[in-house]
Amino acid sequence: VILGATALIYPISSQRQSRRFDIPWSALGALLVLAIVTCVGFMPRITGAILLVFFAFYLWQTFKHAKTSNSDENYTPMSPKKSLLLILVGLLLLVVGGEFIVKSATNIAQSLGVSDAIIGLTVVALGTSLPELATSCMAAFKKNCDIALGNVIGSNIFNIFFILGTSACVKALPGYHGLELDAMMAALASVLVMLFVYTTKKHEIKRWHGAVLLLVYIAYLIWRIMGV
């Protein structure tokens, strides 16, 4: 949804580092989860530890690359204090806005008799992804879409390897109805992004690619709601 909506506003370019390292890692994480839930049916503690090891290796490689790379971007630097203040204010507004949206939409859905499962698939999913969606769309309007791609890819890597890994280490995560389909969709999304970026001359996600991503999600959402 996030990359699809962003690409419809403006084509998303990709940096060489993202193509060579970040995007494959995002796909690896999704495929690992798919393999685990397909073979085991849940997320044991040992798999959480494995995900954390992968995450540590990813961070080491990322910091190693950051030290050796040179940025050739021309920009006017902002003072650290002002930058930190704007980041904190922006995060606060995003969190407050997301909280209002989730609570209000949940109340409306419950008053209409919509099930909790459908609310989780739609309202809660939107609320938790709202900060990324807002950030990515603003980057698209400013034609800085490589930031949007890094935002989504980085979030996927962090969520899968660190958050999911840490959660599974604390306690084995049980399976649920539709888990395999959800994991399959996450893997499909990563594979589609790789396909779009690697097969275009400019290594970008075009507007029609964004439309495909949105249509795939809509089809998935309809399928899940009908199966609830």
Side-chain angles (χ1 to χ4, degrees):
V1 171
I2 297 173
L3 286 181
T6 304
L8 286 180
I9 298 173
Y10 196 81
I12 303 175
S13 59
S14 63
Q15 297 181 352
R16 185 179 180 184
Q17 168 67 7
S18 294
R19 296 193 301 271
R20 295 182 60 183
F21 188 66
D22 298 323
I23 294 177
W25 266 89
S26 178
L28 173 64
L31 291 172
L32 275 175
V33 172
L34 176 60
I36 292 170
V37 300
T38 300
C39 296
V40 184
F42 67 104
M43 189 70 63
R45 282 183 170 177
I46 183 62
T47 59
I50 293 173
L51 291 177
L52 287 178
V53 171
F54 273 95
F55 182 70
F57 180 76
Y58 169 78
L59 283 183
W60 176 68
Q61 288 290 331
T62 300
F63 287 128
K64 180 180 178 182
H65 172 78
K67 290 181 179 180
T68 58
S69 62
N70 295 318
S71 176
D72 56 355
E73 297 180 358
N74 295 319
Y75 68 95
T76 302
M78 185 184 299
S79 66
K81 291 184 178 180
K82 184 178 180 180
S83 300
L84 180 60
L85 177 62
L86 292 176
I87 289 174
L88 293 177
V89 172
L91 287 175
L92 177 62
L93 294 176
L94 285 172
V95 170
V96 172
E99 184 72 11
F100 282 145
I101 287 178
V102 171
K103 285 186 175 180
S104 301
T106 300
N107 290 333
I108 293 174
Q110 289 177 342
S111 66
L112 296 175
V114 178
S115 68
D116 291 339
I118 295 179
I119 293 174
L121 283 170
T122 55
V123 178
V124 177
L126 171 63
T128 55
S129 300
L130 200 58
E132 295 171 40
L133 180 61
T135 302
S136 298
C137 287
M138 286 303 300
F141 281 119
K142 295 181 179 180
K143 299 182 180 181
N144 293 325
C145 292
D146 53 338
I147 296 177
L149 181 60
N151 174 40
V152 174
I153 296 299
S155 178
N156 284 349
I157 293 172
F158 190 85
N159 285 336
I160 292 175
F161 289 107
F162 182 72
I163 296 180
L164 191 60
T166 302
S167 301
C169 283
V170 174
K171 185 178 181 180
L173 305 178
Y176 60 88
H177 175 66
L179 173 59
E180 291 81 5
L181 176 60
D182 294 342
M184 189 181 301
M185 283 302 303
L188 175 61
S190 297
V191 171
L192 283 176
V193 170
M194 290 183 66
L195 181 65
F196 294 154
V197 170
Y198 293 157
T199 58
T200 56
K201 291 183 179 180
K202 294 183 178 181
H203 303 292
E204 63 182 11
I205 300 177
K206 300 180 180 295
R207 285 191 170 92
W208 73 268
H209 293 157
V212 169
L213 291 173
L214 288 175
L215 289 174
V216 169
Y217 177 76
I218 292 173
Y220 154 75
L221 189 60
I222 294 174
W223 182 274
R224 286 290 278 123
I225 292 176
M226 292 177 62
V228 171

